[in-house]
Amino acid sequence: MTDIEKLNAATAEQRLQHLNNLLVRQQAKPECTAFVNNHIHTTYSFSPYTPTSAAYHAWRNGLATAGIMDHDSVSGVREFLEAGKRIGIGVTNGFECRCGMQATPFANIRLNNPDQTGVAYVACHGIPHQNIDKADLWLKPYRMSRSKRNRSMVDRLNGLSGITALRLDYDRDILPLSQAHEGGSVTERHILYALTKKVLSIAQPGASVISLLQDAFNIEIRGNLCETLLKVSDPYYEYRLLGVLKSHLVEKFYIDATDECPHILEFVSFVKSIGAVSAYAYLGDVQQSVTGDKRAQVFEDAFLDRLIVWLKQAGFNAVTFMPARNTQPQLERIMRLCQKLDLFQISGEDINTPFQSFICKQLALPQFTHLADAAWALIGHERLATQDPDHAMFSEKSIADYPLLADRIAYFAATGRAMKG
């Protein structure tokens, strides 16, 4: 096992100790860039990276700041923050979840969720450290509800194929791929990753896999995705296959999420109560998926103006988006709307596979330099709010001291850079 592989050891204590050993032996520090990323998943949702490994890879890739963002879980947060401290990289914490839009103008509309209408992905950023446990208590019942639905989806998935070797046992095949025993979440990706392993246990990468999927699940794989699965020497073949399954198979076994989705206004209220930053995750209409796990599909663009106005009125602080995943007109539009409505703009590339780059090269363009300041502002906010809740970025005091959002961002960004490490 290599030193880097040891960062995926069984316990946080072991992982952090291996990090110490690795840093002592590190001969040269990576060149630090101005790039930032506020949306890195870890093994506490779905990712090849433990919190320690995620922080280390962020640093090795030159990120100036990194943010942990797991689905329905903050159980990896303290490890990530400690790893960032030991490494010397600016870090921030939060979680991502899905919210119901009942009794809103968007109750029956597809927003940013490929699988379900009337449900939105949202993010909580910059949780003051004294409130991490409160966030965990709030998320726990939603994880439990999700687990019940997961079991039902696995039953439905098992019913799609008559091949015994592809049947999944939730406790034996899926839970061990997660950190559920430590408060991590189990997602559709875990289910599909377990299926990926089953597929590869009875079919060789390449044409045999394609044939098996077509026969077992009536999936017709064409074009770029077919070419992807024919690349048998790809070191990330498991994750490529997972992406194909996600784009083609989820709709066949998906069960609508209900009890595991807090109402969106409840989410906003809770995030405000813990002094964190609430953000809507803009997706935008997809023509061609960057990560290969989304079909061409229509999302918020047809009603974006109305949506952003409603989000502001509902109390959202921010919109988070991923420059590498959208077209230039989409990005210009969402940034213009945020500026018009005084919404904080946050950037993060959704890292959950080993072949994704931690660096979003678009952030080097002049029109996106403000997103680096935003990342540092989140760090400044998190540090100050941990010391005193009245010093949170969107507290009454901070708004009174800096009524203009641009001035507030500048202050918190300068504070974040000064308090790094």
Side-chain angles (χ1 to χ4, degrees):
M1 184 180 292
T2 67
D3 287 341
I4 292 177
E5 288 172 339
K6 290 178 182 178
L7 300 181
N8 283 340
T11 70
E13 183 179 6
Q14 291 171 333
R15 296 190 289 264
L16 289 168
Q17 183 57 55
H18 288 310
L19 175 65
N20 286 346
N21 298 339
L22 183 58
L23 292 175
V24 167
R25 293 193 292 271
Q26 200 81 51
Q27 294 186 356
K29 291 185 178 181
E31 179 183 355
C32 185
T33 69
F35 291 108
V36 299
N37 192 337
N38 294 293
H39 203 112
I40 301 172
H41 291 287
T42 77
T43 49
Y44 286 84
S45 50
F46 184 85
S47 172
Y49 306 107
T50 64
T52 296
S53 177
Y56 177 80
H57 280 85
W59 175 67
R60 285 300 303 171
N61 280 275
L63 284 181
T65 77
I68 186 172
M69 185 60 53
D70 282 320
H71 289 281
D72 304 330
S73 177
V74 291
S75 297
V77 160
R78 287 194 171 89
E79 178 189 345
F80 184 82
L81 294 174
E82 179 60 28
K85 180 180 178 181
R86 297 185 188 192
I87 292 168
I89 186 175
V91 288
T92 186
N93 86 92
F95 65 84
E96 182 177 14
C97 70
R98 292 174 289 189
C99 288
M101 302 293 290
Q102 307 95 309
T104 76
F106 311 98
N108 300 307
I109 297 176
R110 187 173 307 282
L111 292 109
N112 58 2
N113 188 332
D115 305 312
Q116 188 174 344
T117 59
V119 171
Y121 280 100
V122 293
C124 170
H125 286 276
I127 303 172
H129 299 175
Q130 70 273 22
N131 290 331
I132 292 171
D133 288 339
K134 289 183 180 179
D136 181 58
L137 286 173
W138 188 76
L139 290 166
K140 185 175 180 180
Y142 299 119
R143 288 197 301 270
M144 293 175 66
S145 294
R146 185 168 193 164
S147 179
K148 293 177 182 178
R149 186 175 66 94
N150 283 341
R151 290 179 182 274
S152 296
M153 287 196 295
V154 170
D155 289 342
R156 181 176 287 190
L157 176 58
N158 284 336
L160 294 177
S161 170
I163 301 177
T164 303
L166 294 180
R167 290 186 61 83
L168 296 173
D169 181 281
Y170 191 77
D171 296 292
R172 185 182 64 243
D173 299 321
I174 297 167
L175 284 181
L177 300 176
S178 76
Q179 294 291 329
H181 61 290
E182 293 183 355
S185 64
V186 181
T187 71
E188 287 83 5
R189 279 189 169 89
H190 288 95
I191 296 172
L192 293 173
Y193 193 45
L195 180 60
T196 294
K197 290 181 175 295
K198 291 280 189 179
V199 168
L200 292 175
S201 72
I202 61 173
Q204 292 297 314
S208 295
V209 162
I210 295 173
S211 178
L212 176 61
L213 296 182
Q214 291 173 339
D215 293 342
F217 299 109
N218 195 27
I219 295 175
E220 190 169 358
I221 301 169
R222 299 177 176 177
N224 292 337
L225 294 182
C226 184
E227 293 178 10
T228 295
L229 294 186
L230 288 174
K231 295 177 181 177
V232 299
S233 60
D234 188 334
Y236 306 121
Y237 193 89
E238 276 191 342
Y239 285 88
R240 306 290 188 189
L241 175 53
L242 169 60
V244 173
L245 292 175
K246 186 173 184 297
S247 64
H248 282 70
L249 194 57
V250 170
E251 65 182 0
K252 294 179 180 291
F253 69 84
Y254 187 82
I255 297 173
D256 280 355
T258 54
D259 295 346
E260 70 202 61
C261 299
H263 191 273
I264 195 159
L265 297 182
E266 180 190 348
F267 167 80
V268 172
S269 177
F270 174 74
V271 173
K272 182 178 181 181
S273 75
I274 61 171
V277 177
S278 56
Y280 174 83
Y282 170 68
L283 179 58
D285 297 355
V286 174
Q287 297 300 319
Q288 184 174 356
S289 175
V290 174
T291 52
D293 61 1
K294 290 184 176 64
R295 304 184 307 274
Q297 199 170 1
V298 173
F299 294 101
E300 316 104 318
D301 286 348
F303 53 92
L304 187 61
D305 292 50
R306 287 192 296 120
L307 174 62
I308 298 300
V309 169
W310 187 89
L311 291 169
K312 177 68 175 182
Q313 294 172 344
F316 271 83
N317 307 128
V319 172
T320 178
F321 53 93
M322 308 176 190
R325 293 195 174 194
N326 295 111
T327 66
Q328 191 62 31
Q330 284 177 315
L331 294 166
E332 290 173 356
R333 184 184 181 195
I334 189 63
M335 290 191 295
R336 184 172 62 250
L337 286 170
C338 287
Q339 187 171 16
K340 178 181 178 181
L341 292 169
D342 226 22
L343 285 164
F344 187 35
Q345 298 175 45
I346 302 172
S347 172
E349 295 300 313
D350 198 355
I351 302 297
N352 52 33
T353 63
F355 56 78
Q356 290 174 273
S357 172
F358 279 73
I359 298 291
C360 173
K361 294 182 179 179
Q362 283 85 341
L363 293 182
L365 299 174
Q367 62 266 40
F368 299 126
T369 55
H370 65 291
L371 296 174
D373 287 334
W376 285 110
L378 275 176
I379 291 173
H381 147 82
E382 192 173 308
R383 296 294 183 88
L384 290 178
T386 297
Q387 296 175 1
D388 184 343
D390 286 338
H391 292 161
M393 189 175 181
F394 291 93
S395 69
E396 291 182 4
K397 182 181 187 307
S398 293
I399 293 173
D401 290 345
Y402 300 96
L404 295 178
L405 179 59
D407 292 340
R408 211 176 323 138
I409 292 171
Y411 166 73
F412 279 93
T415 301
R417 286 184 170 97
M419 299 179 77
K420 177 198 163 202

